[in-house]
Amino acid sequence: MGSTKWPGILVLLSICSQAVTQSGFQVSVFSVTSKAVILRWNSYSGASTYKISVSTQSSPTDFVAFAQYGADVVMGSVISLSPNVNYIFTIQALDNSQNTLNSATVQSSTAPDLMEPIQAVQSKDSRTLVAEFNLQTGATSYIIRVQDNNGFFREDTVASSPAEIQNLTPYTDYRLSIMAANSAGRSQPSLPVAAKTVLPPLQLSTSSPSNSTILVSWAPVAHAVQYSLFIYKFGSNSTISFNQSNTVNTNLVSGLDAGSLYVIVGLAWDVEGRMGESSLNSNQTTRPPTPSLTNVSVVMSNGEAGLLVSWELHQEVYGSIQYLVTSDQNLTCNSPSSSCILFPAKCGDVHTIQVTGANAAGPGSASSPTVFTTFPCPPQNLALEDSTGGNCTLTWTTVPHAESYEAVVKGGGNDTGCNTTGTGCTFQCECGYTYLMSVFALNPAGISPQGQVLNHTTLPCCPEGVLISAVSADTLEIAWQASRGAELYETRAADSSEEVLCNDTAPACALSDLDCDSTYSVVVTPCNDLSGCNRACKADSKDTAPCAPTNVAHSLTNSSFVNVSWAGNNRAATYTASALGDEGQHTCTTSGSSCGIAGLLCGSDYEVSVTASTGAGQSLPSFSDFLQTEPCCPVNISVTQVTPAMTNVSWSPAKGALLFTTVLTSPRGRARCHTQDSHCLMGCITCSTNYTVTMEVFSHSGQRSNCSYQGFSSSACCPTGVRLYSLADNSLRLYWRSTGSNHSYAVDMLGSSSNSSYSCTASPGENRCDVAAVRCGDVYRVTVAPLSPGGSKVLLCPQRLYSVTCLGSSVGPVIFRGKRSVD
């Protein structure tokens, strides 16, 4: 059909469209494959045949296929079409003369082409397969057909590869085929491939029978020939694995760490050697480790005695552990920590104590039993026997489980008593005081409660517990226990030159303005209006603090050592000289009148003082003397030659330094500079000369340090009198005056044009060098420099400019153009 018929078809389509509305002649697509389309239409009155014409949407006037059906047919197909192509289907109702009564059109695309079989199928788990396939051009989705041997049939629509096929039956054989689909329909299914799901996961049940074992069990899995268990310790990289035959559905795993969390995973293996789906992670904690009981002691809480039981905690355990402490005396307590208190603890009881830890897995093993005896009960039947000489004897009866006894006697502000393993205690009981007496029994668990209290009044006596202390260099403080009946206390202190007296009603006195470095005899005498003063009380002696050193002077030996001297007027004292600076304090100690302090830092200020000390105390410090150490030398110094006759010297900062004088010295002379900076520029440097490097560093106060450093050697001397002459054969000869040093010389000629570079080398002692095949008509920069023993050039020699003229094609006269420094 040519293009001349296209207007007629357009008119016909317009008529058909109107006919659909008026006459009800309709056509629709019933089904589509990759190469065929089935159309359905309604019967049209007077039609003897129905003709189907097919063209593509890209060429609607070019018909590619035809089909014709009788008057009684209302459904027909068009075959031999191309996959994934958009077509226009025109159906005409014809009479017996093949005239068109009516027509209608419909558009449709064919389905994609037949796909290749699925490339690979893997089991993701026991109910899911993952299929991989090649994508098809023109497909907007894919349909995977799933069949098993029992008639199961299912089709899943997927978007791309790989695709998951879910909700399958574990350990089942399947046949999988794939179809490509688009908006028009689907292709024919590909050839099927076989696949099989794996065994289902184990349903694990775990428990911990002991602190080193875990019992794992599971229900049998059909078709399983072997089971595997994998046990991971939480927080560790270690793994334990086991293989079990299919007749054993339980496993006791031993050798595990107590109180640890283990993650357990199991799976089954089928007869083909395929690994089944892994079970869900089962978390199981082993029972806690056996506690190690470390200590049992008696504690008091709210006036009630208890037993504090302690044990060691194991740090590497998982989760919380609750500990139960039990005693055979029907006492228990619980604690999540490392201790617990058993209440109440009675005197004289013997307890057998154990500790058991429990966690989510259950209780662990109990600790080894510990036998503990509580504190004894108080002694009874107290009695006092008076004896001569102002002594009294207190007696009592023995107590079970007691290892010793403590008798306590209180009265008159003075407590006394005794510790003994017997049943009696003798104590001084004169001077008319009232005493309260009690006895306590002791053992390693503690002391008994208070029992019977016995009181007894004796005659008055001198104050007890006289305490003399030095509160300053010239003051003594005296304190004592009050004496019954005393209304006034007379305190007297006397040395070889004076006597100081203090009267007070309080049991304390301060005696001041005493001589330093003196021994005083101190006695406290109680007095009252009725009996007067008891002059029989003993005296105590006490030394006052030493006198402070005077005339402190210092002599600085070097920046780190100072000698300190002083005048000391004490009988026997130890002297400590100290130098206090910003970085800390330095000291020296001696019994003489001078000592040296080492370890001072250069460039630092120090405050020097001296103190004296004896067994009686420490004197006041002397007046301070101030010193300043020499400034520090710079740690690093660098000498760099800038020109043949000039160097740049730089150095690191120096503590305490204000001014620097740097000197470079040689047999030919010296260079010197003064500066406050950390660098200076020096001239008058002679070539090929070794210099010593020294520095004087001055502080703000004029202290000076002399510093020496590694020497400096100036560079070799550059030659003088350099001349350039032309020779035959385009050669040039360079002459110079040698400096007399035993150096080789290197000559460099660099022209202004490219590829105009020449060089030559003269041996030691020679003063000329020839350069051959020189290019004329160029300006050359010529440098003659000595070579160091290592072969490097001296870089400070000047350049000379020469014009090399041409005489015909050969080198002509050489013209000197001047001299310049090296760039």
Side-chain angles (χ1 to χ4, degrees):
M1 299 179 65
S3 60
T4 55
K5 295 184 179 181
W6 177 243
I9 292 175
L10 292 177
V11 174
L12 180 61
L13 290 176
S14 176
I15 294 173
C16 291
S17 175
Q18 183 178 5
V20 169
T21 304
Q22 294 177 355
S23 63
F25 184 58
Q26 297 178 347
V27 64
S28 62
V29 177
F30 180 75
S31 67
V32 178
T33 66
S34 58
K35 294 186 177 182
V37 174
I38 299 176
L39 301 176
R40 182 169 59 186
W41 59 88
N42 58 315
S43 178
Y44 192 80
S45 176
S48 61
T49 57
Y50 296 96
K51 181 181 179 181
I52 302 175
S53 303
V54 184
S55 64
T56 62
Q57 284 189 354
S58 59
S59 299
T61 60
D62 295 331
F63 294 101
V64 297
F66 298 92
Q68 194 162 331
Y69 295 93
D72 298 330
V73 179
V74 293
M75 182 178 293
S77 62
V78 181
I79 60 175
S80 300
L81 302 178
S82 298
N84 197 39
V85 176
N86 291 319
Y87 289 98
I88 299 174
F89 299 92
T90 302
I91 184 167
Q92 296 171 289
L94 305 177
D95 59 12
N96 291 330
S97 301
Q98 296 298 300
N99 295 318
T100 301
L101 301 176
N102 206 340
S103 66
T105 61
V106 68
Q107 297 182 10
S108 177
S109 173
T110 50
D113 201 0
L114 177 67
M115 291 189 64
E116 297 177 0
I118 292 174
Q119 300 297 308
V121 182
Q122 301 290 336
S123 289
K124 179 179 180 182
D125 52 47
S126 62
R127 298 178 64 84
T128 305
L129 293 175
V130 178
E132 296 183 13
F133 50 87
N134 293 330
L135 301 180
Q136 181 73 290
T137 302
T140 58
S141 63
Y142 300 90
I143 300 172
I144 298 178
R145 180 174 292 172
V146 184
Q147 294 175 286
D148 64 7
N149 296 329
N150 298 322
F152 172 81
F153 177 87
R154 193 178 85 193
E155 290 183 346
D156 288 357
T157 300
V158 299
S160 62
S161 175
E164 290 188 3
I165 306 168
Q166 301 176 343
N167 300 321
L168 301 178
T169 303
Y171 201 68
T172 301
D173 291 305
Y174 290 95
R175 296 185 305 280
L176 306 179
S177 58
I178 188 165
M179 295 169 281
N182 59 15
S183 59
R186 61 174 69 176
S187 69
Q188 294 295 321
S190 67
L191 293 176
V193 296
K196 190 174 186 177
T197 51
V198 297
L199 293 173
L202 302 183
Q203 303 298 319
L204 298 181
S205 176
T206 62
S207 62
S208 176
S210 69
N211 60 12
S212 64
T213 60
I214 290 177
L215 181 63
V216 186
S217 60
W218 58 90
V221 175
H223 308 293
V225 297
Q226 181 176 286
Y227 301 101
S228 292
L229 293 179
F230 302 92
I231 301 180
Y232 308 87
K233 181 181 177 181
F234 182 76
S236 171
N237 294 327
S238 61
T239 304
I240 306 173
S241 60
F242 297 93
N243 291 324
Q244 298 286 102
S245 67
N246 64 352
T247 60
V248 180
N249 301 327
T250 183
N251 193 309
L252 181 64
V253 185
S254 59
L256 304 179
D257 295 332
S260 298
L261 175 63
Y262 288 89
V263 181
I264 305 167
V265 179
L267 55 86
W269 298 79
D270 60 21
V271 68
E272 293 94 342
R274 299 188 309 156
M275 186 170 60
E277 181 181 350
S278 297
S279 68
L280 296 176
N281 290 349
S282 292
N283 297 334
Q284 178 63 52
T285 305
T286 51
R287 296 197 181 197
T290 302
S292 178
L293 200 152
T294 57
N295 186 55
V296 181
S297 60
V298 177
V299 295
M300 299 298 294
S301 177
N302 297 324
E304 184 178 33
L307 299 183
L308 175 62
V309 183
S310 302
W311 54 90
E312 290 184 357
L313 288 179
H314 294 263
Q315 300 301 322
E316 296 183 359
V317 294
Y318 177 83
S320 61
I321 299 177
Q322 188 73 17
Y323 294 92
L324 173 65
V325 182
T326 60
S327 165
D328 62 346
Q329 297 294 326
N330 295 324
L331 299 181
T332 61
C333 64
N334 293 279
S335 173
S337 62
S338 60
S339 63
C340 186
I341 301 177
L342 296 172
F343 282 112
K346 299 179 181 179
C347 64
D349 283 345
V350 178
H351 294 261
T352 300
I353 300 172
Q354 287 184 290
V355 183
T356 304
N359 60 9
S365 300
S367 67
S368 299
T370 296
V371 178
F372 182 80
T373 302
T374 62
F375 50 88
C377 295
Q380 301 296 323
N381 303 320
L382 272 63
L384 184 66
E385 299 177 359
D386 285 325
S387 59
T388 59
N391 292 327
C392 296
T393 300
L394 178 65
T395 62
W396 56 87
T397 56
T398 60
V399 176
H401 308 300
E403 296 184 5
S404 64
Y405 299 91
E406 179 183 358
V408 179
V409 180
K410 296 183 179 181
N414 181 32
D415 295 347
T416 186
C418 67
N419 294 320
T420 179
T421 57
T423 58
C425 176
T426 299
F427 61 94
Q428 188 176 359
C429 57
E430 42 184 60
C431 304
Y433 293 99
T434 297
Y435 289 92
L436 297 177
M437 294 165 282
S438 58
V439 180
F440 299 88
L442 296 90
N443 65 12
I447 190 170
S448 68
Q450 173 139 18
Q452 178 185 356
V453 178
L454 185 68
N455 74 31
H456 181 73
T457 300
T458 63
L459 296 175
C461 66
C462 292
E464 296 290 338
V466 176
L467 179 63
I468 306 173
S469 57
V471 295
S472 68
D474 64 349
T475 301
L476 295 178
E477 183 181 20
I478 303 94
W480 57 89
Q481 298 171 359
S483 298
R484 184 184 178 192
E487 299 174 354
L488 178 70
Y489 298 94
E490 179 185 281
T491 304
R492 189 182 304 270
D495 66 355
S496 59
S497 62
E498 65 173 346
E499 181 178 89
V500 181
L501 182 65
C502 169
N503 294 325
D504 203 332
T505 57
C509 183
L511 302 176
S512 58
D513 195 24
L514 304 179
D515 295 333
C516 60
D517 193 42
S518 297
T519 300
Y520 281 88
S521 176
V522 181
V523 60
V524 180
T525 302
C527 305
N528 60 29
D529 293 338
L530 296 177
S531 60
C533 298
N534 186 349
R535 300 296 178 183
C537 297
K538 68 174 183 175
D540 294 293
S541 63
K542 181 68 175 179
D543 289 339
T544 54
C547 301
T550 59
N551 301 328
V552 176
H554 74 270
S555 175
L556 188 64
T557 303
N558 54 46
S559 61
S560 64
F561 189 89
V562 63
N563 189 61
V564 183
S565 61
W566 59 86
N569 299 319
N570 296 299
R571 293 170 294 175
T574 299
Y575 296 90
T576 299
S578 64
L580 180 62
D582 292 339
E583 87 289 351
Q585 181 172 273
H586 305 269
T587 62
C588 65
T589 302
T590 182
S591 58
S593 60
S594 68
C595 66
I597 300 176
L600 304 182
L601 299 182
C602 59
S604 300
D605 294 327
Y606 291 93
E607 180 181 342
V608 180
S609 62
V610 184
T611 58
S613 60
T614 63
Q618 181 173 292
S619 72
L620 295 172
S622 68
F623 293 112
S624 296
D625 195 15
F626 294 92
L627 72 90
Q628 184 182 70
T629 58
E630 298 171 356
C632 297
C633 288
V635 177
N636 300 312
I637 190 169
S638 174
V639 182
T640 304
Q641 194 160 356
V642 180
T643 69
M646 187 167 60
T647 60
N648 184 45
V649 184
S650 60
W651 51 89
S652 58
K655 183 179 180 182
L658 173 67
L659 180 67
F660 301 91
T661 300
T662 306
V663 182
L664 301 182
T665 306
S666 74
R668 299 181 179 181
R670 70 174 185 176
R672 186 172 183 175
C673 74
H674 306 272
T675 182
Q676 287 184 302
D677 299 326
S678 60
H679 58 86
C680 72
L681 198 63
M682 290 191 190
C684 301
I685 301 300
T686 306
C687 58
S688 296
T689 303
N690 294 328
Y691 287 89
T692 60
V693 181
T694 59
M695 178 181 286
E696 292 180 322
V697 183
F698 296 88
S699 67
H700 291 265
S701 61
Q703 294 277 6
R704 181 180 67 181
S705 294
N706 293 318
C707 313
S708 297
Y709 300 95
Q710 183 177 356
F712 159 73
S713 296
S714 61
S715 63
C717 296
C718 295
T720 60
V722 177
R723 296 292 182 269
L724 182 62
Y725 302 99
S726 60
L727 301 176
D729 301 327
N730 292 327
S731 297
L732 295 176
R733 173 166 292 177
L734 288 97
Y735 288 94
W736 58 85
R737 285 195 295 272
S738 175
T739 59
S741 57
N742 191 21
H743 289 288
S744 297
Y745 291 89
V747 176
D748 290 315
M749 292 180 55
L750 181 62
S752 59
S753 60
S754 60
N755 299 324
S756 296
S757 177
Y758 307 94
S759 64
C760 64
T761 303
S763 301
E766 295 183 357
N767 64 342
R768 69 179 183 178
C769 183
D770 293 342
V771 179
V774 176
R775 182 178 177 180
C776 66
D778 201 352
V779 176
Y780 290 91
R781 287 185 287 178
V782 179
T783 304
V784 182
L787 298 178
S788 67
S792 61
K793 298 177 184 178
V794 173
L795 303 178
L796 304 176
C797 294
Q799 295 177 346
R800 289 169 171 79
L801 298 179
Y802 291 92
S803 293
V804 179
T805 64
C806 291
L807 190 59
S809 60
S810 300
V811 171
V814 178
I815 303 172
F816 177 63
R817 299 285 297 274
K819 185 170 62 175
R820 56 183 294 181
S821 297
V822 178
D823 292 335

